Amino acid sequence: MQFEENAAALGKPLRALFTLALIVGAILAPIPFPFKVPAFAAVALLWVWVETRSLAPVGLKLPVSAGSTLLWAAAGTGGVIFVLGDVVNPVIEWVFSKGADHSGYGALKDNGPAAFKLWLYAMFSAAIAEEIVYRGFLLHQLSVLLQKGRAGEWIAILIGGIAFAVPHYSQGLVGVISVALVGFLFGWIFFRSGRNLWSLMLAHALVDTWGIYSLYRGW
């Protein structure tokens, strides 16, 4: 892929500074949920479009293979729900003797209206906007900044996963670790799928749907 070479000649120090500013803004800007991350996602898309006249670098290319998209979405969804959720997370909870703190989402058990409202917000702010910011935009910019090759991709995946986990600090240490692992998995899929962000948006939507439904049922 020539995404990095197609970017405008913005110096690496300035690119790093602007990228950091956008990510920090997406985390800390005093904009109410669920509008904060979508606002910075719009800025990120505008930046990439101005540089490259394309959204392919962030994974929003068209046309896209429906079969490949569904396959990678299934891999992401299954990896989070069954591998991380049923195998890895219980080990993390055993090590720290506690689970993630989901109280910040409010009282969702048997509260259909609250659960549905949170689901709508999650589709807008998380499944779409977070994937644009923390996978598409951040991993693309890190690809430009870091050395080419597999080593650079793994460093980008590591940084991207940590950046994705930081805004979830309200879930406690166990929650942050769990979210970081999701970020690592989704980052790996981003590169292995040829930057198919559509598949990650779908996977994120399915994972959040399952998570909110589980909170609603009290699981």
Side-chain angles (χ1 to χ4, degrees), residues 8 10 14-22 41-55 137 140-141:
L10 181 65
L14 277 178
R15 181 181 297 277
L17 180 62
F18 291 161
T19 300
L20 179 62
L22 189 143
V43 174
L45 292 180
L46 179 61
W47 173 355
V48 173
W49 177 262
V50 169
E51 273 202 313
T52 67
R53 292 300 186 272
S54 170
L55 295 181
F137 173 78
H140 164 60
Q141 296 300 335

Side-chain angles (χ1 to χ4, degrees), residues 47-196:
W47 173 355
V48 173
W49 177 262
V50 169
E51 273 202 313
T52 67
R53 292 300 186 272
S54 170
L55 295 181
V58 298
L60 296 178
K61 56 188 174 184
L62 288 172
V64 65
S65 167
S68 176
T69 298
L70 292 175
L71 180 63
W72 283 112
T77 305
V80 173
I81 294 177
F82 299 114
V83 178
L84 296 181
D86 292 341
V87 178
V88 178
N89 282 349
V91 174
I92 298 173
E93 293 170 359
W94 175 78
V95 169
F96 291 95
S97 300
K98 59 181 177 181
D101 181 4
H102 296 123
S103 61
Y105 294 115
L108 297 183
K109 184 178 179 181
D110 298 324
N111 189 340
F116 182 66
K117 182 179 180 180
L118 179 61
W119 179 82
L120 288 177
Y121 285 171
M123 296 304 100
F124 174 57
S125 180
I128 296 176
E130 284 187 353
E131 288 306 315
I132 290 173
V133 171
Y134 294 105
R135 241 69 65 190
F137 173 78
L138 181 56
L139 294 184
H140 164 60
Q141 296 300 335
L142 290 172
S143 295
V144 177
L145 290 167
L146 297 171
Q147 66 188 44
K148 303 298 183 291
R150 195 60 57 86
E153 286 185 1
W154 280 111
I155 295 173
I157 290 169
L158 179 63
I159 295 174
I162 293 173
F164 176 57
V166 170
H168 298 81
Y169 64 89
S170 63
Q171 297 183 25
L173 179 60
V174 171
V176 167
I177 293 173
S178 298
V179 173
L181 292 175
V182 174
F184 299 153
L185 173 62
F186 277 20
W188 179 82
I189 290 176
F190 179 77
F191 286 117
R192 296 287 77 73
S193 67
R195 303 194 181 198
N196 187 338

Side-chain angles (χ1 to χ4, degrees), residues 19-45:
T19 300
L20 179 62
L22 189 143
I23 297 300
V24 170
I27 296 173
L28 300 178
I31 302 173
F33 175 83
F35 304 106
K36 178 168 63 175
V37 181
F40 283 89
V43 174
L45 292 180

